[in-house]
Amino acid sequence: MSTAVLLRLATRTQPHRTILRSTQCCPAAAKRLIPASATTGGYGSGHTFSTSVRRGKSDHEEETFDEFTARYEKEFENVQDVFELQRNLNNAFAYDLVPSPSVCIAALKAARRVNDFPTAVRIFEGIKAKVENNQQYEEYLEDLKPIRDELGVPLKEDLYPDSPLWPSIG
């Protein structure tokens, strides 16, 4: 008999239990699977799978734009590898705002420091995706032109001028 047939027969004979959940029939096994810190209130209790750091603020207090800018400038200054750079960029662009030009400058310098050219180009793609219209995008490009020239970072539309994959925003 095939494995699927055996599995179906096994589940029919025990309708009140599932075969794949052994912790239901054996609570002692379930206790072994739960980390001690999750049950004792130790470090990280309630947030056992989180890698974020508590900032000492209440969960409802919002960060101002200036605090956001200062925090991400510092984050990008401390970047040591491509993973950290891309993680910080992902986090910065995940908010419902466009990062300030100073944050973008810090990110571009971090991309140069870790020698990651594609990410430097993609920073501008992220800006274009976050702004509301072309005028705002042009203002960002104007503000960031000196750093682009200094680091030699072209725009995607300069690299691929006829690409249909680059939509214009209204």
Side-chain angles (χ1 to χ4, degrees):
M1 278 194 256
S2 70
T3 321
V5 172
L6 287 174
L7 185 60
R8 270 190 246 126
L9 287 174
T11 56
R12 285 184 190 158
T13 59
Q14 298 177 353
H16 65 282
R17 289 190 203 157
T18 61
I19 291 175
L20 302 176
R21 294 195 181 196
S22 63
T23 58
Q24 289 179 347
C25 63
C26 187
K31 288 182 182 176
R32 287 191 302 254
L33 296 175
I34 300 173
S37 62
T39 58
T40 61
Y43 174 75
S45 65
H47 299 285
T48 55
F49 297 108
S50 176
T51 59
S52 62
V53 178
R54 287 197 173 226
R55 300 188 59 209
K57 296 182 177 182
S58 72
D59 291 337
H60 300 290
E61 187 175 336
E62 292 190 19
E63 184 177 40
T64 65
F65 186 72
D66 293 333
E67 290 173 335
F68 172 85
T69 299
R71 178 166 60 107
Y72 275 100
E73 284 176 2
K74 184 178 178 186
E75 290 282 338
F76 285 119
E77 288 171 6
N78 296 328
V79 163
Q80 297 296 320
D81 61 6
V82 176
F83 173 78
E84 288 180 33
L85 171 66
Q86 292 177 349
R87 181 190 55 171
N88 288 334
L89 280 170
N90 188 27
N91 291 340
F93 280 98
Y95 287 89
D96 191 23
L97 53 82
V98 185
S100 69
S102 61
V103 171
C104 296
I105 288 171
L108 287 166
K109 287 182 179 179
R112 178 64 186 121
R113 190 170 52 252
V114 298
N115 199 23
D116 189 15
F117 175 76
T119 301
V121 174
R122 288 185 186 111
I123 290 170
F124 291 99
E125 291 181 57
I127 294 170
K128 187 167 188 173
K130 293 295 280 187
V131 296
E132 294 179 3
N133 55 42
N134 279 331
Q135 180 184 2
Q136 288 179 349
Y137 181 61
E138 293 298 326
E139 289 172 5
Y140 266 88
L141 291 181
E142 186 178 313
D143 286 346
L144 298 173
K145 182 152 179 55
I147 193 75
R148 278 185 47 227
D149 292 341
E150 177 186 335
L151 299 177
V153 178
L155 301 174
K156 183 177 178 184
E157 52 261 33
D158 294 339
L159 293 172
Y160 304 103
D162 298 330
S163 175
L165 300 175
W166 190 253
S168 62
I169 53 178

